């Protein structure tokens, strides 16, 4: 799905992405504030920066096991999103990916997760998150790097 394809399509409520899609580029659904549900098909390997930025109505998103990258600010200000399960092939979550997701309470990270970049969960209402034992880097919002032994 090309860059900014549905930018600010405020009437859009649901999207079914066909199996032929392999990438979703930056700002594809930026500002689609009434978008509630997205089912991303197997084969998609990357969700680029700001792809779902400002999709305040987004309640559910199912990420495919083929996914390898969640880039910077991919889901920033998706204020209705309550839960996210990150697939096994994702090893890094880009900076501010879920920033401002004020309803996000539960995050399931894969055992393969290695790095959580700056500010990823700032402004979230997290109740539950299990950090996998393989994680080696967690960046905080002030750009300090913490290493887990």
């Amino acid at each position: 799905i090309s860059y900014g394809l549905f930018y600010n399509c405020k009437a859009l409520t649901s999207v079914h992405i066909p199996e032929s899609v392999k990438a979703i580029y930056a700002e594809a659904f930026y500002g689609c504030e009434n978008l509630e549900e997205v089912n991303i098909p197997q084969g998609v390997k990357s969700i680029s920066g700001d792809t779902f930025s400002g999709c305040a109505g987004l309640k559910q998103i199912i990420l495919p096991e083929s996914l390898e990258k969640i880039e910077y600010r991919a889901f920033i200000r998706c204020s209705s999103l309550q839960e996210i399960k990150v697939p096994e092939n994702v090893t890094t979550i880009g900076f501010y990916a879920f920033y401002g997701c004020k309803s996000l309470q539960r995050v399931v990270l894969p055992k393969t997760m290695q790095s959580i970049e700056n500010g990823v969960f700032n402004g979230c209402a997290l109740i539950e998150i299990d950090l996998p034992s393989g994680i080696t880097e967690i960046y905080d919002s002030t750009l300090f790097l913490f290493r887990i032994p």
Side-chain angles (χ1 to χ4, degrees):
I1 297 177
S2 66
Y3 177 89
L5 184 63
F6 298 102
Y7 191 97
N8 276 333
C9 287
K10 297 192 186 301
L12 191 62
T13 59
S14 179
V15 174
H16 176 75
I17 300 171
E19 296 288 329
S20 58
V21 171
K22 301 301 177 211
I24 302 172
Y25 292 102
E27 301 181 9
F29 297 97
Y30 185 101
C32 296
E33 58 192 35
N34 291 308
L35 183 62
E36 293 182 6
E37 184 179 335
V38 177
N39 187 5
I40 300 174
Q42 288 298 325
V44 171
K45 295 183 181 287
S46 176
I47 297 175
S48 297
D50 285 314
T51 296
F52 295 98
S53 180
C55 292
L58 190 61
K59 294 176 184 170
Q60 181 178 12
I61 187 152
I62 298 168
L63 302 175
E65 288 302 317
S66 60
L67 193 67
E68 296 172 358
K69 278 182 165 181
I70 298 175
E71 293 189 14
Y72 63 94
R73 300 185 317 252
F75 297 95
I76 194 169
R77 295 184 327 274
C78 289
S79 55
S80 296
L81 192 61
Q82 296 178 2
E83 181 177 333
I84 194 80
K85 181 182 183 291
V86 178
E88 288 294 322
N89 290 330
V90 177
T91 58
T92 300
I93 300 176
F95 66 90
Y96 297 106
F98 296 98
Y99 177 90
C101 293
K102 62 185 179 183
S103 297
L104 186 61
Q105 296 181 359
R106 184 169 186 264
V107 175
V108 178
L109 297 173
K111 292 178 178 132
T112 55
M113 182 61 60
Q114 297 173 4
S115 178
I116 299 174
E117 292 186 0
N118 194 41
V120 168
F121 298 113
N122 283 3
C124 295
L126 287 179
I127 293 172
E128 182 180 343
I129 184 170
D130 289 328
L131 297 174
S133 60
I135 201 162
T136 57
E137 297 176 328
I138 298 176
Y139 296 75
D140 76 2
S141 61
T142 57
L143 301 177
F144 291 103
L145 172 66
F146 296 96
R147 293 203 176 267
I148 297 173

